[in-house]
């Protein structure tokens, strides 16, 4: 995953402390990222996730084909020398009705990028940024299944996140189409299964 640590000097309302009223409208709260995956936190950094030259917004829907190649990620807000740990997870793996906690996809290229490939339902793909207080090596977990972001933060003393965002991703299923079909001039009503990936 390509990481760019750029400092931005323009004012951004997303860096303001989070209040109770703004929390209720926050896409991370609405999407149950805060609560299920992360504890409440105050944004103190900014992050851009860009797939195929298109910036991702919180809660947007991306097809698996759109996220097949690793994204470019830009992080900033704490000065040029700031060190960050980036985690990408799918808290809905293997399926939203039967998640096995979290499934990590990548960090600071400790674990190589694995594009989301949901097999059933809508999956939330979450990017989480932690600011490192000291330079340290984050080691790859020995597993991807049942990975827990809170455990990682505790193990490496990362504290609360400084930024997070997510998008939804789902596999498109075959659809059924009803219609009237013409057969040599005669009408024939039937149900046809149309198999195509959208």
């Amino acid at each position: 995953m390509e990481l760019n640590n750029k400092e931005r000097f323009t004012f951004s309302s997303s860096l303001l402390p989070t209040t109770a009223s703004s929390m209720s409208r926050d896409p991370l709260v609405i999407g149950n990222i805060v609560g299920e995956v992360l504890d409440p936190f105050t944004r103190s950094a900014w992050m851009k996730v860009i797939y195929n030259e298109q910036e991702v917004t919180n809660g947007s829907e991306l097809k698996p084909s759109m996220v097949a190649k690793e994204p470019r990620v830009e992080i900033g807000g704490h000065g040029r020398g700031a060190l960050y740990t980036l985690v990408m997870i799918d808290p809905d793996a293997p399926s939203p009705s039967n998640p096995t906690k979290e499934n990590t996809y990548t960090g600071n290229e400790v674990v190589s990028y694995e594009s989301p490939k949901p097999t059933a339902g809508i999956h939330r793909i979450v990017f989480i940024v932690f600011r490192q207080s000291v330079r340290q090596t984050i080691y790859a977990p020995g597993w991807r299944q049942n990975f827990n972001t809170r455990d990682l933060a505790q193990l490496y003393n990362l504290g609360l996140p400084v930024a997070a965002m997510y998008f939804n991703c789902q596999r498109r299923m075959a659809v059924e189409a009803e219609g009237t079909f013409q057969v040599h001039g005669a009408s024939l009503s039937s149900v046809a299964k149309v198999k195509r990936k959208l």
Side-chain angles (χ1 to χ4, degrees):
M1 187 173 307
E2 181 182 334
L3 294 175
N4 291 322
N5 183 1
K6 296 181 180 178
E7 183 59 43
R8 183 191 288 185
F9 295 101
T10 56
F11 179 79
S12 171
S13 62
S14 66
L15 300 179
L16 291 174
T18 307
T19 63
S21 64
S22 68
M23 283 277 294
S24 64
R25 293 185 309 258
D26 187 320
L28 295 171
V29 174
I30 293 169
N32 292 321
I33 304 304
V34 171
E36 284 183 24
V37 179
L38 303 172
D39 293 324
F41 69 96
T42 300
R43 286 182 190 85
S44 60
W46 58 268
M47 169 178 39
K48 283 185 182 181
V49 176
I50 303 161
Y51 280 101
N52 303 314
E53 304 304 318
Q54 182 178 359
E55 186 173 347
V56 176
T57 57
N58 261 322
S60 61
E61 184 170 330
L62 300 177
K63 298 175 190 172
S65 61
M66 298 170 69
V67 297
K69 294 183 181 175
E70 65 184 48
R72 184 175 81 236
V73 178
E74 298 176 3
I75 302 167
H78 289 278
R80 286 209 183 279
L83 302 170
Y84 298 98
T85 296
L86 173 66
V87 177
M88 179 183 162
I89 60 162
D90 177 352
D92 300 315
S95 75
S97 61
N98 185 26
T100 56
K101 292 209 177 198
E102 301 168 21
N103 184 10
T104 183
Y105 282 113
T106 188
N108 185 14
E109 207 58 59
V110 170
V111 179
S112 62
Y113 180 78
E114 182 180 308
S115 63
K117 294 179 179 89
T119 56
I122 299 172
H123 289 241
R124 298 163 297 165
I125 308 302
V126 186
F127 290 83
I128 306 156
V129 177
F130 294 95
R131 181 169 183 238
Q132 294 183 9
S133 57
V134 298
R135 181 178 297 274
Q136 62 180 322
T137 302
I138 307 292
Y139 293 98
W143 65 97
R144 287 182 184 243
Q145 305 293 47
N146 297 318
F147 173 84
N148 187 290
T149 304
R150 289 179 178 108
D151 291 347
L152 176 83
Q154 184 178 13
L155 179 65
Y156 291 102
N157 296 313
L158 297 173
L160 291 172
V162 294
M165 68 162 318
Y166 81 102
F167 64 87
N168 295 309
C169 190
Q170 68 178 317
R171 180 174 153 215
R172 302 296 182 165
M173 304 301 285
V175 294
E176 287 190 9
E178 280 190 56
T180 301
F181 301 91
Q182 294 289 329
V183 179
H184 299 287
S187 288
L188 175 67
S189 292
S190 84
V191 175
K193 288 194 182 213
V194 179
K195 291 192 177 190
R196 67 178 174 175
K197 289 191 177 182
L198 304 176

